[in-house]
């Protein structure tokens, strides 16, 4: 038996859920197919930083739109998703690093972006008193912050279900074909058909793209996270640095969350990661260098998650240039959580109206694609 709908979403992470929600709220019937369970991969293992700070230019318009939505997230999904806007700061440890940050702000101002500000050493100390004394200043976005992925996922799922989305867990997509304006999606002994298709399959999304005839190369990002024992509140903003692989924040429960992009070993086929202790020690050492007072704190947990890594480390979001009615949402390169609300809207707009109210042209898949083979599209269309 074939199940039919107006749209099929492949992948039950936050991007799949957000796209499904926005489509359904526009009256579109949606089937979402998730191979494992909702939030099993990047979305469920995210550090959930809600950051516009230091984004690439092409991502900025959609990131700024998303930030507006985060500040009103409860009206979107009926829950505040644990979002709090305590700011994000990128710290300079030398005058040379501060010059790099100043040059960035000057460039942004010339392009009309005013959300990033330089702060001097005094203000930095006021905002983050526990920071090492040698730091000379930083770059801040005061409206940035962080959320809780374990509140965000259920909130988006509940909203998608309430909007009428049919969610199938344990349904892995194995084949795609396109004929006479309809996508057929094969998943084991099940099949689905719809004119619209969203590829939100995370670290596996380039495989789905290839099934549709789009060669979008992706590598894998498998960032590791450290959680410490609880301590009294001592840092409110999320802190990163110019010169070290570090992202540092304190959760509302008092634990410290230390990330920054040190990579775990991983295997896409078995969908697993394995912590690399040596690299993890470097991540911990970077945190101690910036916050000497935490040196004796115990690590209570570590984890890693899998995300797609694009060649220019920026999201890939846009309609397929070759396959009709197909939207790609992939390659978030370790910073896709913040983009979730606004990219859901952009997906619905592009699929239903052919245009997005926020400019995401710079994220179009074409920029990374090998020459599009007309033959493969033709074969699909007729196959
Ligand atoms: C450790 C870590 C820390 C992070 N920290 C931040 C942060 O602080 N801020 C930020 O903005 N971002 C952060 N990110 C990145 C962010 O979490 C991801 O970019 C985002 O969650 C990606 O969502 P997604 O829906 O695209 O992917 P996923 O959540 O991975 O969802 C993709 C889903 O597709 C499913 N799937 C795959 N293949 C198939 C198939 N064939 N059929 C059906 N389903 C399939 C998978 O099972 C998976 O559930 C972090 C990521 C990690 C791993």
């Amino acid at each position: 038996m074939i199940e039919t709908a107006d749209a099929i979403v492949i992948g039950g992470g936050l991007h799949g859920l957000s796209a499904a929600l926005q489509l359904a709220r526009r009256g579109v019937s949606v089937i979402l197919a998730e191979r494992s369970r909702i939030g099993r991969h990047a979305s469920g293992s995210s550090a959930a930083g809600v950051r516009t700070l230091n984004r690439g230019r092409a991502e900025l318009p959609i990131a700024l739109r998303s930030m507006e939505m985060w500040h009103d997230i409860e009206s979107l999904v009926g829950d505040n998703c644990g979002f709090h806007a305590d700011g994000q700061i990128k710290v300079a440890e030398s005058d040379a690093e501060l010059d790099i940050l100043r040059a960035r702000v000057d460039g942004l101002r010339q392009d009309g972006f005013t959300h990033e500000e330089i702060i001097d050493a005094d203000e930095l100390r006021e905002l983050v008193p526990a920071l090492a004394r040698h730091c000379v200043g930083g770059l801040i976005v005061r409206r940035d912050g962080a959320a809780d992925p374990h509140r965000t996922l259920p909130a988006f799922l509940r909203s998608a279900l309430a909007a009428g989305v049919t969610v199938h867990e344990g349904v892995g997509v194995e084949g795609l074909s396109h004929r006479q304006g309809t996508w057929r999606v094969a998943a084991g002994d099940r099949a689905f058909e719809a004119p619209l298709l969203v590829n939100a399959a995370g670290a596996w999304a380039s495989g789905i793209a290839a099934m549709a005839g789009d060669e979008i190369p992706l590598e894998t990002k498998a960032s590791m996270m450290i959680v410490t024992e609880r301590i009294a509140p001592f840092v409110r903003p999320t802190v990163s640095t110019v010169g070290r692989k570090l992202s540092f924040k304190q959760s509302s429960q008092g634990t410290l969350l230390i990330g920054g992009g040190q990579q775990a070993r991983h295997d896409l086929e078995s969908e697993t990661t394995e912590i690399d202790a040596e690299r993890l020690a470097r991540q911990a050492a970077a945190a101690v260098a910036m916050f000497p007072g935490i040196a004796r704190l115990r690590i209570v947990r570590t984890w890693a998650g899998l995300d797609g890594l694009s060649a220019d480390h920026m999201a890939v979001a846009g309609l397929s240039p070759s396959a009709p009615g197909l939207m790609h949402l992939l390659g978030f390169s370790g910073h896709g959580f913040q983009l979730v609300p606004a990219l859901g809207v952009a997906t619905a707009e592009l699929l239903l109206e052919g245009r997005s109210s926020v400019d995401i042209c710079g994220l179009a898949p074409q920029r990374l694609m090998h020459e599009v083979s007309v033959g493969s599209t033709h074969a699909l269309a007729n196959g």
Side-chain angles (χ1 to χ4, degrees):
M1 229 180 64
I2 297 170
E3 274 181 64
T4 60
D6 298 323
I8 298 165
V9 175
I10 304 173
L14 280 167
H15 281 287
L17 287 171
S18 180
L21 170 65
Q22 293 295 342
L23 284 164
R25 286 206 175 146
R26 286 164 177 74
V28 171
S29 63
V30 185
I31 294 171
L32 183 148
E34 160 56 44
R35 181 167 59 197
S36 173
R37 60 181 161 74
I38 296 295
R40 160 71 180 85
H41 284 292
S43 301
S45 49
S46 184
V50 180
R51 172 179 67 79
T52 58
L53 177 71
N54 207 38
R55 288 251 168 202
R57 274 321 142 88
E59 283 185 351
L60 267 184
I62 195 79
L64 290 169
R65 176 73 190 107
S66 235
M67 191 52 74
E68 294 306 318
M69 295 178 77
W70 275 107
H71 277 264
D72 192 23
I73 199 74
E74 196 153 356
S75 73
L76 181 71
V77 290
D79 191 287
N80 71 13
C81 297
F83 173 68
H84 52 93
D86 288 323
Q88 293 231 1
I89 302 177
K90 186 166 268 304
V91 172
E93 296 181 69
S94 66
D95 290 336
E97 288 184 357
L98 197 54
D99 285 345
I100 294 173
L101 298 179
R102 282 202 187 98
R104 174 172 167 86
V105 169
D106 290 346
L108 286 177
R109 293 276 191 281
Q110 276 166 24
D111 290 348
F113 295 109
T114 56
H115 60 292
E116 295 188 7
E117 289 170 57
I118 294 288
I119 52 173
D120 62 15
D122 288 344
E123 186 171 3
L124 183 61
R125 240 158 249 140
E126 202 177 298
L127 291 169
V128 195
L131 203 58
R133 307 301 294 174
H134 69 277
C135 299
V136 298
L139 191 58
I140 188 169
V141 177
R142 299 178 200 272
R143 277 169 64 78
D144 278 3
D148 179 348
H150 306 296
R151 283 184 72 161
T152 308
L153 270 163
F156 272 81
L157 176 60
R158 274 194 309 270
S159 302
L161 291 170
V165 176
T166 303
V167 173
H168 292 298
E169 293 183 301
V171 172
V173 172
E174 291 158 355
L176 294 178
S177 58
H178 188 260
R179 208 179 299 203
Q180 292 169 349
T182 299
W183 287 100
R184 175 177 287 206
V185 174
D189 56 1
R190 306 178 75 150
F192 308 96
E193 281 188 354
L196 303 176
L197 186 64
V198 178
N199 171 17
W204 298 267
S206 66
I208 298 290
M211 287 181 201
D214 287 343
E215 296 296 330
I216 310 175
L218 271 193
E219 292 189 18
T220 305
K221 187 152 190 188
S223 298
M224 298 187 289
M225 296 296 306
I226 294 172
V227 184
T228 69
E229 61 189 311
R230 294 176 190 205
I231 51 169
F234 83 109
V235 56
R236 289 174 68 89
T238 300
V239 174
S240 58
T241 66
V242 177
R244 301 174 198 264
K245 283 189 171 184
L246 180 67
S247 163
F248 185 99
K249 61 176 171 257
Q250 187 167 26
S251 74
S252 53
Q253 297 87 35
T255 56
L256 301 179
L257 268 95
I258 302 168
Q262 292 286 357
Q263 297 295 290
R265 288 180 283 272
H266 62 272
D267 180 36
L268 272 191
E269 209 173 310
S270 60
E271 303 178 33
T272 53
T273 57
E274 188 190 334
I275 294 296
D276 181 319
E278 259 176 51
R279 289 180 179 161
L280 197 78
R282 271 181 245 151
Q283 197 155 302
V288 172
M290 299 306 293
F291 293 93
I294 65 165
R296 304 194 62 78
L297 224 54
R298 282 172 298 188
I299 291 173
V300 295
R301 195 159 66 87
T302 61
W303 82 84
L306 296 166
D307 201 3
L309 178 66
S310 72
D312 58 10
H313 296 200
M314 279 200 283
V316 181
L319 294 173
S320 163
S322 56
L326 169 60
M327 176 80 184
H328 293 298
L329 289 170
L330 48 98
F332 291 107
S333 305
H335 51 257
F337 183 88
Q338 191 270 346
L339 300 173
V340 162
L343 274 183
V345 174
T347 299
E349 290 176 341
L350 279 169
L351 282 174
L352 302 178
E353 300 158 26
R355 49 166 286 285
S356 154
S357 51
V358 178
D359 178 11
I360 57 167
C361 291
L363 305 181
Q366 291 89 314
R367 75 183 196 276
L368 303 174
M369 284 170 73
H370 298 144
E371 203 171 310
V372 178
S373 151
V374 178
S376 66
T377 313
H378 184 73
L380 268 170
N382 293 296

